Amino acid sequence: MSHSPTRYWEYLRLQQLLGLQHGLSEERELSNDEVLFITVHQIDELWFKLILRELEEVRDVFARPHVPEQELGSAVRGLRRVAILFQQVGNHFALMETMTTRDYLAFRDKLSPASGFQSVQMREMEVLMGLESSRRVALGYEGSYRDALKGPGGSPTWSTKRLDRRLEDLPTLKDAIDEWLHRTPIMGKRPGEAGADEALARFAAAYLAQHGRECDRTAAFSMHDGLHEEDRTRITERYAKERVNAAAFLRAEDLEEGPERARRARIRAALLFIESYRELPLLAWPREVVETVVALEQASLIFRQRHARMVERVIGRRTGTGGSAGVDYLDKTALRYRVFDDFWTVRTLLLREAALPPLEDAAFYGLVADG
Ligand code: HEM
């Protein structure tokens, strides 16, 4: 049976796609600036769509009770893809900057009070990644980020429905990855196994002792002859604080005493363990996971930063169409909207290889002794 050959424009739905850049009127009535504005937003929303698909798939891998080694490879590829997608969106802001303030003001009133603040896919990405609600920056009068998506009289919309579905779709990527990290064998012992808590305590104590020595060592390097007494005191205090912070972090003292604190302490130790003994064969994929999670969050923060700088260039520090403080609001999100804090903090504690505490049970991790 013969069928008509597939055509490029049909497969890609080009007729429909190219007919979507008209905003609220006919495309021929719009300036090139406005069509650019609409098109870049649409392309970015398509990148957001791809990010959501990848994040979901990666989350599903980590949500499994046991994650096979080969699955970690595809999870890393997904995370890497998300990082690149965020970079792409960030790069598009340069196109927005080809528009002068006056060019933009010529059509800005048409979209007001709409705003990127109403991008449900942005909120879905945050929710799926696991951004805590307490981190959110209030926009002002709206109250909650969900309210901004409601219809007239607070009625549900396509956006609120999508967001609500996403809020129910658990676990978040962060929770799934944390659960996986929690199972990491530390000094050859998995949680729940006989001697696991002791092995963890030994690792943390040995690490902190080495960390203290390294702080003293680096502090000594900083004490050159030209320093004033106040400079010396400042440097000494700074290193003392690093030690206190390192211990408080590894013991999860920021959480109330109890099972949650113990769980967080193990997760943080696992991150430190993976990063410290990264050359061990069994840790080859886990260390790639840690690396790409950091790359992903870095890319998303740079995207937020880049957006803020573009906005400052195009509209200065005026109030946003969504009613926020504009650039000030965006800069706050770029500082606060982090999900994987522990992954970053571990970098402050990491030691050079020669200073690491000796590894127990190296054979468990696939390291074969020479000879
Ligand atoms: C001339 C171009 C642009 C200007 C002047 C601009 C301005 C703003 C401002 C002032 C806000 C803060 C909320 C408000 O009060 O409105 C905002 C939010 C946002 N914009 Fe833009 N924007 C531009 C282009 C873009 C583009 C191309 C994207 C790509 C999708 C985008 C995505 C977003 C998102 C996702 C938010 C919400 C951020 C958050 O709440 O975390 N914007 N924008």
Side-chain angles (χ1 to χ4, degrees):
M1 212 171 69
S2 75
H3 62 92
S4 63
T6 307
R7 304 305 188 113
Y8 174 83
W9 62 89
E10 286 162 0
Y11 180 71
L12 294 177
R13 300 274 180 259
L14 275 192
Q15 193 182 348
Q16 293 91 328
L17 182 66
L18 298 181
L20 291 173
Q21 288 69 45
H22 53 81
L24 301 173
S25 46
E26 299 284 321
E27 193 184 311
R28 64 187 145 73
E29 291 165 15
L30 305 186
S31 65
N32 279 2
D33 289 312
E34 190 168 356
V35 175
L36 173 83
F37 183 83
I38 294 169
T39 309
V40 171
H41 274 89
Q42 287 182 340
I43 294 170
D44 291 347
E45 287 288 344
L46 287 173
W47 288 150
F48 289 169
K49 172 179 173 156
L50 297 187
I51 290 175
L52 282 167
R53 291 184 66 109
E54 294 298 333
L55 288 177
E56 243 178 60
E57 205 163 283
V58 174
R59 186 275 315 269
D60 291 346
V61 168
F62 286 105
R64 294 166 61 167
H66 169 74
V67 186
E69 197 80 342
Q70 62 274 21
E71 296 269 327
L72 286 180
S74 50
V76 165
R77 261 201 317 282
L79 290 167
R80 205 170 278 149
R81 188 176 280 172
V82 173
I84 295 173
L85 284 162
F86 272 123
Q87 284 163 12
Q88 296 300 320
V89 183
N91 289 342
H92 289 166
F93 294 133
L95 269 170
M96 294 281 99
E97 287 166 347
T98 60
M99 195 163 58
T100 66
T101 307
R102 273 178 35 188
D103 294 338
Y104 177 51
L105 291 180
F107 64 87
R108 184 175 186 246
D109 290 347
K110 278 198 229 172
L111 55 122
S112 201
S115 155
F117 194 73
Q118 294 170 339
S119 166
V120 67
Q121 292 204 100
M122 183 77 214
R123 301 300 170 232
E124 287 184 79
M125 291 188 291
E126 294 164 355
V127 167
L128 179 53
M129 277 196 250
L131 179 71
E132 285 168 23
S133 298
S134 58
R135 292 272 173 110
R136 291 195 181 278
V137 183
L139 190 61
Y141 59 87
E142 262 100 340
S144 110
Y145 67 99
R146 190 178 170 279
D147 290 350
L149 306 179
K150 288 179 180 167
S155 54
T157 57
W158 171 78
S159 296
T160 53
K161 284 180 203 154
R162 277 191 69 125
L163 181 64
D164 290 344
R165 265 203 307 278
R166 194 62 74 178
L167 284 163
E168 282 163 17
D169 177 25
L170 296 172
T172 63
L173 178 65
K174 177 187 161 46
D175 285 345
I177 293 185
D178 276 354
E179 207 44 49
W180 168 79
L181 281 171
H182 186 257
R183 296 195 295 268
T184 307
I186 295 176
M187 295 297 193
K189 296 272 187 293
R190 293 178 199 281
E193 252 175 43
D197 290 347
E198 292 75 9
L200 170 66
R202 274 199 309 280
F203 170 64
Y207 204 96
L208 288 173
Q210 283 300 93
H211 178 262
R213 272 181 217 116
E214 285 295 282
C215 282
D216 291 345
R217 188 172 163 272
T218 348
F221 283 134
S222 324
M223 299 293 183
H224 57 86
D225 294 344
L227 289 180
H228 294 297
E229 203 43 45
E230 309 87 81
D231 295 329
R232 291 176 176 272
T233 313
R234 190 173 39 79
I235 290 173
T236 309
E237 283 172 359
R238 191 159 282 164
Y239 279 102
K241 203 166 161 207
E242 265 199 41
R243 282 168 173 238
V244 171
N245 288 348
F249 172 76
L250 269 189
R251 296 182 193 131
E253 285 171 7
D254 47 318
L255 298 180
E256 302 246 329
E257 207 158 333
E260 260 315 298
R261 181 191 278 188
R263 182 173 175 274
R264 182 56 49 196
R266 178 167 278 279
I267 290 170
R268 289 177 182 173
L271 277 167
L272 196 59
F273 190 83
I274 292 169
E275 293 258 51
S276 296
Y277 305 104
R278 40 192 303 124
E279 69 287 351
L280 294 176
L282 200 70
L283 299 180
W285 279 116
R287 83 167 182 235
E288 283 303 307
V289 171
V290 174
E291 198 64 44
T292 31
V293 165
V294 172
L296 181 161
E297 184 141 274
Q298 186 190 39
S300 92
L301 293 172
I302 292 174
F303 148 71
R304 288 185 186 277
Q305 252 290 336
R306 185 68 186 84
H307 177 259
R309 298 285 74 73
M310 175 276 292
V311 171
E312 187 172 5
R313 185 164 161 187
V314 178
I315 60 166
R317 294 195 162 258
R318 73 186 72 204
T319 306
T321 50
S324 81
V327 173
D328 279 351
Y329 163 78
L330 295 169
D331 275 334
K332 278 194 194 132
T333 70
L335 276 177
R336 289 173 57 97
Y337 284 25
R338 284 181 187 233
V339 175
F340 299 99
D341 303 67
D342 289 346
F343 286 62
W344 293 91
T345 310
V346 157
R347 310 249 147 164
T348 315
L349 271 69
L350 272 182
L351 301 175
R352 64 204 164 96
E353 197 180 350
L356 289 173
L359 175 71
E360 295 174 19
D361 204 356
F364 177 92
Y365 299 93
L367 197 68
V368 184
D370 286 343

Short mmCIF file of all heavy atoms in Angstrom, two decimals, residues 37 40-41 44 48 93 96 99 104 115-117 119 122-123 126 139 304 307 310-311 314-315 320-324 326 329-330 333 337, ligand 1:
data_model
loop_
_atom_site.label_atom_id
_atom_site.label_comp_id
_atom_site.label_asym_id
_atom_site.label_seq_id
_atom_site.Cartn_x
_atom_site.Cartn_y
_atom_site.Cartn_z
N PHE A 37 10.14 39.96 20.04
CA PHE A 37 9.80 39.80 21.45
C PHE A 37 8.93 38.55 21.66
O PHE A 37 9.19 37.72 22.53
CB PHE A 37 9.08 41.07 21.92
CG PHE A 37 8.72 41.10 23.38
CD1 PHE A 37 9.65 41.49 24.34
CD2 PHE A 37 7.44 40.76 23.81
CE1 PHE A 37 9.32 41.53 25.69
CE2 PHE A 37 7.09 40.81 25.15
CZ PHE A 37 8.03 41.19 26.10
N VAL A 40 11.00 35.20 20.59
CA VAL A 40 12.01 34.75 21.56
C VAL A 40 11.32 34.14 22.78
O VAL A 40 11.73 33.08 23.27
CB VAL A 40 12.95 35.91 21.96
CG1 VAL A 40 13.85 35.50 23.12
CG2 VAL A 40 13.81 36.33 20.78
N HIS A 41 10.25 34.77 23.25
CA HIS A 41 9.52 34.17 24.37
C HIS A 41 9.00 32.78 24.02
O HIS A 41 9.07 31.85 24.81
CB HIS A 41 8.33 35.06 24.79
CG HIS A 41 8.71 36.14 25.75
ND1 HIS A 41 9.13 37.38 25.35
CD2 HIS A 41 8.74 36.17 27.10
CE1 HIS A 41 9.39 38.13 26.41
NE2 HIS A 41 9.17 37.41 27.49
N ASP A 44 11.80 30.29 23.95
CA ASP A 44 12.23 29.99 25.32
C ASP A 44 11.23 29.08 26.03
O ASP A 44 11.60 28.18 26.77
CB ASP A 44 12.45 31.28 26.11
CG ASP A 44 13.68 32.04 25.61
OD1 ASP A 44 14.46 31.45 24.84
OD2 ASP A 44 13.85 33.22 25.96
N PHE A 48 11.82 25.53 27.68
CA PHE A 48 11.31 25.16 29.02
C PHE A 48 10.58 23.81 28.95
O PHE A 48 10.69 22.98 29.84
CB PHE A 48 10.33 26.22 29.56
CG PHE A 48 10.95 27.53 29.96
CD1 PHE A 48 10.16 28.64 30.24
CD2 PHE A 48 12.33 27.66 30.09
CE1 PHE A 48 10.72 29.87 30.61
CE2 PHE A 48 12.90 28.89 30.46
CZ PHE A 48 12.10 29.98 30.73
N PHE A 93 18.88 36.38 25.49
CA PHE A 93 18.67 37.74 26.01
C PHE A 93 19.48 38.76 25.22
O PHE A 93 19.11 39.93 25.16
CB PHE A 93 18.97 37.79 27.50
CG PHE A 93 17.97 36.99 28.32
CD1 PHE A 93 18.39 36.11 29.31
CD2 PHE A 93 16.61 37.09 28.06
CE1 PHE A 93 17.46 35.37 30.04
CE2 PHE A 93 15.68 36.34 28.78
CZ PHE A 93 16.11 35.48 29.77
N MET A 96 17.23 40.28 22.75
CA MET A 96 16.35 41.30 23.34
C MET A 96 17.07 42.63 23.44
O MET A 96 16.47 43.69 23.33
CB MET A 96 15.90 40.87 24.74
CG MET A 96 15.01 39.66 24.78
SD MET A 96 13.30 40.05 24.35
CE MET A 96 13.26 39.55 22.66
N MET A 99 17.05 45.65 21.07
CA MET A 99 15.88 46.52 21.09
C MET A 99 16.20 47.70 22.03
O MET A 99 16.64 47.49 23.15
CB MET A 99 14.73 45.69 21.67
CG MET A 99 13.39 46.22 21.48
SD MET A 99 12.17 44.90 21.76
CE MET A 99 12.52 44.36 23.41
N TYR A 104 11.04 49.20 22.82
CA TYR A 104 10.25 48.32 23.67
C TYR A 104 9.04 49.06 24.23
O TYR A 104 7.92 48.53 24.24
CB TYR A 104 11.13 47.76 24.80
CG TYR A 104 10.38 46.89 25.78
CD1 TYR A 104 9.56 45.84 25.34
CD2 TYR A 104 10.45 47.12 27.15
CE1 TYR A 104 8.86 45.05 26.24
CE2 TYR A 104 9.74 46.34 28.05
CZ TYR A 104 8.94 45.31 27.59
OH TYR A 104 8.24 44.53 28.48
N SER A 115 3.18 39.19 32.27
CA SER A 115 4.61 39.23 32.59
C SER A 115 5.15 37.80 32.62
O SER A 115 4.39 36.84 32.80
CB SER A 115 4.77 39.86 33.97
OG SER A 115 5.96 39.43 34.59
N GLY A 116 6.48 37.69 32.48
CA GLY A 116 7.13 36.38 32.64
C GLY A 116 6.83 35.77 33.99
O GLY A 116 6.96 34.57 34.18
N PHE A 117 6.39 36.61 34.94
CA PHE A 117 6.00 36.11 36.25
C PHE A 117 4.84 35.12 36.12
O PHE A 117 4.58 34.33 37.01
CB PHE A 117 5.59 37.28 37.15
CG PHE A 117 5.47 36.92 38.59
CD1 PHE A 117 6.61 36.69 39.36
CD2 PHE A 117 4.24 36.79 39.21
CE1 PHE A 117 6.52 36.35 40.70
CE2 PHE A 117 4.14 36.44 40.55
CZ PHE A 117 5.28 36.22 41.30
N SER A 119 4.72 32.83 33.76
CA SER A 119 5.16 31.65 33.00
C SER A 119 4.99 30.41 33.86
O SER A 119 5.78 30.17 34.78
CB SER A 119 6.63 31.80 32.59
OG SER A 119 7.12 30.55 32.14
N MET A 122 7.95 28.04 33.97
CA MET A 122 9.03 28.45 34.88
C MET A 122 8.74 27.93 36.28
O MET A 122 9.60 27.34 36.94
CB MET A 122 9.10 29.98 34.88
CG MET A 122 10.22 30.56 35.71
SD MET A 122 11.78 30.41 34.84
CE MET A 122 12.88 30.14 36.20
N ARG A 123 7.51 28.13 36.73
CA ARG A 123 7.12 27.65 38.07
C ARG A 123 7.18 26.13 38.15
O ARG A 123 7.58 25.57 39.15
CB ARG A 123 5.69 28.12 38.41
CG ARG A 123 5.53 29.61 38.41
CD ARG A 123 6.45 30.28 39.43
NE ARG A 123 6.45 31.72 39.27
CZ ARG A 123 7.56 32.46 39.14
NH1 ARG A 123 8.75 31.89 39.18
NH2 ARG A 123 7.47 33.76 38.99
N GLU A 126 10.70 25.05 38.67
CA GLU A 126 11.12 25.28 40.06
C GLU A 126 10.53 24.20 40.98
O GLU A 126 11.23 23.64 41.83
CB GLU A 126 10.65 26.66 40.53
CG GLU A 126 11.32 27.81 39.80
CD GLU A 126 10.59 29.15 39.96
OE1 GLU A 126 9.50 29.18 40.57
OE2 GLU A 126 11.12 30.16 39.47
N LEU A 139 6.17 38.99 45.17
CA LEU A 139 6.17 39.97 44.08
C LEU A 139 5.62 41.32 44.56
O LEU A 139 5.85 42.35 43.97
CB LEU A 139 5.33 39.44 42.92
CG LEU A 139 5.41 40.21 41.62
CD1 LEU A 139 6.82 40.22 41.09
CD2 LEU A 139 4.48 39.61 40.59
N ARG A 304 19.05 33.44 35.27
CA ARG A 304 18.32 34.47 36.04
C ARG A 304 19.10 35.78 36.08
O ARG A 304 18.55 36.87 35.93
CB ARG A 304 18.07 33.98 37.47
CG ARG A 304 17.02 32.89 37.56
CD ARG A 304 16.73 32.55 39.01
NE ARG A 304 15.83 31.42 39.14
CZ ARG A 304 14.50 31.51 39.05
NH1 ARG A 304 13.93 32.68 38.86
NH2 ARG A 304 13.75 30.43 39.16
N HIS A 307 19.08 37.45 32.65
CA HIS A 307 17.78 38.08 32.41
C HIS A 307 17.73 39.43 33.13
O HIS A 307 17.33 40.45 32.54
CB HIS A 307 16.68 37.14 32.92
CG HIS A 307 15.28 37.69 32.81
ND1 HIS A 307 14.63 38.21 33.88
CD2 HIS A 307 14.43 37.80 31.77
CE1 HIS A 307 13.42 38.62 33.50
NE2 HIS A 307 13.28 38.37 32.22
N MET A 310 19.81 42.02 31.32
CA MET A 310 19.14 42.45 30.08
C MET A 310 18.01 43.41 30.42
O MET A 310 17.85 44.46 29.80
CB MET A 310 18.62 41.21 29.34
CG MET A 310 17.81 41.47 28.10
SD MET A 310 16.06 41.80 28.42
CE MET A 310 15.49 40.22 29.00
N VAL A 311 17.23 43.06 31.45
CA VAL A 311 16.10 43.90 31.84
C VAL A 311 16.62 45.28 32.26
O VAL A 311 16.07 46.31 31.86
CB VAL A 311 15.28 43.23 32.98
CG1 VAL A 311 14.25 44.19 33.54
CG2 VAL A 311 14.61 41.96 32.46
N VAL A 314 17.42 47.24 29.19
CA VAL A 314 16.30 47.65 28.33
C VAL A 314 15.33 48.59 29.04
O VAL A 314 14.88 49.57 28.45
CB VAL A 314 15.55 46.41 27.75
CG1 VAL A 314 14.36 46.84 26.90
CG2 VAL A 314 16.49 45.55 26.92
N ILE A 315 15.01 48.31 30.31
CA ILE A 315 14.00 49.18 30.96
C ILE A 315 14.50 49.85 32.24
O ILE A 315 13.71 50.47 32.97
CB ILE A 315 12.67 48.42 31.27
CG1 ILE A 315 12.91 47.24 32.23
CG2 ILE A 315 11.97 47.99 30.00
CD1 ILE A 315 11.63 46.68 32.84
N GLY A 320 8.11 46.39 37.05
CA GLY A 320 7.82 45.43 35.98
C GLY A 320 6.36 45.44 35.57
O GLY A 320 5.51 45.89 36.34
N THR A 321 6.06 44.93 34.37
CA THR A 321 4.65 44.89 33.95
C THR A 321 3.84 44.01 34.90
O THR A 321 2.64 44.19 35.06
CB THR A 321 4.50 44.35 32.51
OG1 THR A 321 5.23 43.13 32.40
CG2 THR A 321 5.00 45.34 31.48
N GLY A 322 4.51 43.04 35.53
CA GLY A 322 3.82 42.17 36.49
C GLY A 322 3.67 42.84 37.85
O GLY A 322 3.11 42.26 38.76
N GLY A 323 4.25 44.05 37.99
CA GLY A 323 4.08 44.80 39.24
C GLY A 323 5.20 44.59 40.25
O GLY A 323 5.13 45.08 41.37
N SER A 324 6.26 43.88 39.86
CA SER A 324 7.36 43.66 40.81
C SER A 324 8.30 44.87 40.79
O SER A 324 8.14 45.78 39.97
CB SER A 324 8.17 42.42 40.42
OG SER A 324 9.08 42.75 39.40
N GLY A 326 10.90 44.90 39.54
CA GLY A 326 11.71 44.76 38.32
C GLY A 326 13.05 44.12 38.60
O GLY A 326 13.13 43.02 39.14
N TYR A 329 13.76 42.70 42.05
CA TYR A 329 13.09 41.41 42.26
C TYR A 329 13.88 40.29 41.58
O TYR A 329 14.17 39.25 42.18
CB TYR A 329 11.65 41.47 41.71
CG TYR A 329 11.02 40.11 41.51
CD1 TYR A 329 10.51 39.41 42.60
CD2 TYR A 329 10.98 39.51 40.25
CE1 TYR A 329 9.97 38.14 42.43
CE2 TYR A 329 10.43 38.25 40.08
CZ TYR A 329 9.93 37.58 41.17
OH TYR A 329 9.40 36.32 41.00
N LEU A 330 14.26 40.51 40.32
CA LEU A 330 14.95 39.47 39.56
C LEU A 330 16.31 39.14 40.19
O LEU A 330 16.70 37.97 40.26
CB LEU A 330 15.13 39.91 38.10
CG LEU A 330 13.80 40.07 37.33
CD1 LEU A 330 14.04 40.77 36.00
CD2 LEU A 330 13.12 38.72 37.11
N THR A 333 15.81 36.84 43.08
CA THR A 333 15.56 35.44 42.70
C THR A 333 16.89 34.77 42.30
O THR A 333 17.11 33.62 42.62
CB THR A 333 14.54 35.29 41.55
OG1 THR A 333 15.11 35.77 40.34
CG2 THR A 333 13.23 35.98 41.83
N TYR A 337 17.02 31.55 44.61
CA TYR A 337 16.35 30.38 44.04
C TYR A 337 17.32 29.24 43.76
O TYR A 337 17.57 28.88 42.61
CB TYR A 337 15.57 30.77 42.77
CG TYR A 337 14.27 31.50 43.07
CD1 TYR A 337 14.10 32.20 44.26
CD2 TYR A 337 13.21 31.49 42.16
CE1 TYR A 337 12.92 32.87 44.55
CE2 TYR A 337 12.02 32.17 42.44
CZ TYR A 337 11.89 32.85 43.63
OH TYR A 337 10.72 33.51 43.91
C1 HEM B 1 12.54 43.19 26.81
C2 HEM B 1 12.47 41.99 27.28
C3 HEM B 1 12.09 41.64 28.70
C4 HEM B 1 11.85 42.46 29.76
C5 HEM B 1 11.90 43.97 29.83
C6 HEM B 1 11.50 41.60 30.89
C7 HEM B 1 11.17 42.04 32.15
C8 HEM B 1 10.82 41.26 33.22
C9 HEM B 1 10.49 41.73 34.55
C10 HEM B 1 10.56 43.19 34.99
C11 HEM B 1 10.16 40.65 35.30
C12 HEM B 1 9.76 40.65 36.79
C13 HEM B 1 8.29 40.43 36.97
C14 HEM B 1 7.48 41.65 36.62
O1 HEM B 1 7.30 42.54 37.44
O2 HEM B 1 7.03 41.74 35.46
C15 HEM B 1 10.28 39.49 34.46
C16 HEM B 1 10.04 38.20 34.85
C17 HEM B 1 10.27 37.09 34.07
N1 HEM B 1 10.66 37.08 32.74
FE1 HEM B 1 11.16 38.68 31.64
N2 HEM B 1 11.57 40.30 30.47
C18 HEM B 1 11.92 40.27 29.15
C19 HEM B 1 12.11 39.15 28.35
C20 HEM B 1 11.98 37.87 28.78
C21 HEM B 1 12.22 36.70 27.97
C22 HEM B 1 12.67 36.67 26.51
C23 HEM B 1 11.95 35.62 28.76
C24 HEM B 1 12.06 34.20 28.31
C25 HEM B 1 11.21 33.28 28.64
C26 HEM B 1 11.52 36.11 30.05
C27 HEM B 1 11.13 35.32 31.12
C28 HEM B 1 10.77 35.77 32.35
C29 HEM B 1 10.40 34.91 33.45
C30 HEM B 1 10.38 33.39 33.42
C31 HEM B 1 10.10 35.73 34.53
C32 HEM B 1 9.69 35.27 35.94
C33 HEM B 1 10.95 35.24 36.81
C34 HEM B 1 10.63 34.82 38.23
O3 HEM B 1 9.60 35.24 38.78
O4 HEM B 1 11.41 34.05 38.80
N3 HEM B 1 11.58 37.47 30.03
N4 HEM B 1 10.70 39.88 33.20
#
